[in-house]
Amino acid sequence: LILSKRSSGRINDNCYMANELLDNKTFEDLFELHFTKLMGFVFNYVRDEEVAKDIVHDAFLTLWSNRKRLNPVYPVKSYLFTLAQNCALNYLRHLRVVTGNEQTVTELLEAANEELDDYEKRLVRLEEKLAQLPEKQREVLVKCVVEGKKYKEVAEELDITVNTVKTHITRALKFLRDELQEDLIMLLWCLKRM
């Protein structure tokens, strides 16, 4: 079968695939004949004029790229509309995935912000409680817990006994445990990472 043409030499709405589709002029005629109709058709799916235009262009590009493999008895108009519909539906499916991913990312960011706020509040509480410790207890606790020094090192550095270091640590931790309760372990870990 060959493309049926109007008396003006242009193709009509009922044309079929054929070898004539291979030439540029016939393809341009097809584009002019169907572009506006396809735009309206696709717009009904995507509700965005620019996206509809892109999808219609993609449909024509696919038609052009696959022109040698197409069934010559299949009507061009049907092929174009089916192709445009499939592209529009693929776009909508992709949009749904993107929207879902954006929502997931937004939820994760919100959760991370909440955790960060909570972490910062706990850290402020820890710093306030550390400031309430006697100076020597705080100094010994920071050197042992934050700086990771051994009791013996701290004792030599501060010119006190190892037992005095242990006493300062014990008293500081008891105070913090009483004041901070369940947050103590997490807060000491946070302090160590500072």
Side-chain angles (χ1 to χ4, degrees), residues 9-10 14 22 42 45 61 63 67 105 112 156 159 168:
R10 292 176 50 110
N14 298 318
L22 298 175
V42 171
Y45 284 97
L61 182 63
L63 175 68
R67 66 192 181 276
V105 168
E156 290 171 3
D159 198 27
H168 284 309

Side-chain angles (χ1 to χ4, degrees), residues 14-125:
N14 298 318
C15 65
Y16 291 82
M17 304 286 182
N19 293 336
E20 284 84 355
L21 189 58
L22 298 175
D23 75 39
N24 290 341
K25 178 63 178 142
T26 306
F27 187 78
E28 288 173 14
D29 289 345
L30 274 173
F31 187 86
E32 288 177 27
L33 180 65
H34 295 297
F35 183 80
T36 305
K37 294 175 196 169
L38 282 168
M39 275 284 297
F41 178 70
V42 171
F43 181 81
N44 286 329
Y45 284 97
V46 299
R47 300 287 182 209
D48 182 318
E49 189 174 336
E50 287 302 311
V51 171
K53 191 181 295 185
D54 288 344
I55 288 172
V56 172
H57 280 118
D58 288 347
F60 276 103
L61 182 63
T62 302
L63 175 68
W64 179 256
S65 299
N66 295 310
R67 66 192 181 276
K68 293 179 182 176
R69 293 185 294 245
L70 299 175
N71 185 343
V73 297
Y74 197 74
V76 175
K77 180 180 178 182
S78 296
Y79 182 79
L80 281 169
F81 275 83
T82 301
L83 190 57
Q85 180 183 34
N86 289 340
C87 289
L89 293 174
N90 287 342
Y91 169 79
L92 293 173
R93 276 191 283 278
H94 174 73
L95 197 59
R96 191 176 333 135
V97 168
V98 168
T99 302
N101 288 343
E102 286 174 352
Q103 183 177 355
T104 301
V105 168
T106 301
E107 289 169 1
L108 289 173
L109 287 174
E110 288 171 359
N113 283 337
E114 288 174 17
E115 287 179 23
L116 183 59
D117 288 344
D118 188 44
Y119 169 81
E120 289 173 352
K121 288 175 187 173
R122 288 177 175 187
L123 200 53
V124 166
R125 274 185 64 211

Side-chain angles (χ1 to χ4, degrees), residues 133-134 136-138 140-141 144 151 160-175:
L133 287 172
K136 270 293 192 210
Q137 280 183 15
R138 183 175 53 251
V140 169
L141 184 68
C144 290
Y151 289 177
I160 56 177
T161 66
V162 172
N163 282 337
T164 304
V165 170
K166 289 179 184 178
T167 301
H168 284 309
I169 293 288
T170 302
R171 289 179 181 165
L173 289 177
K174 181 183 180 334
F175 171 78

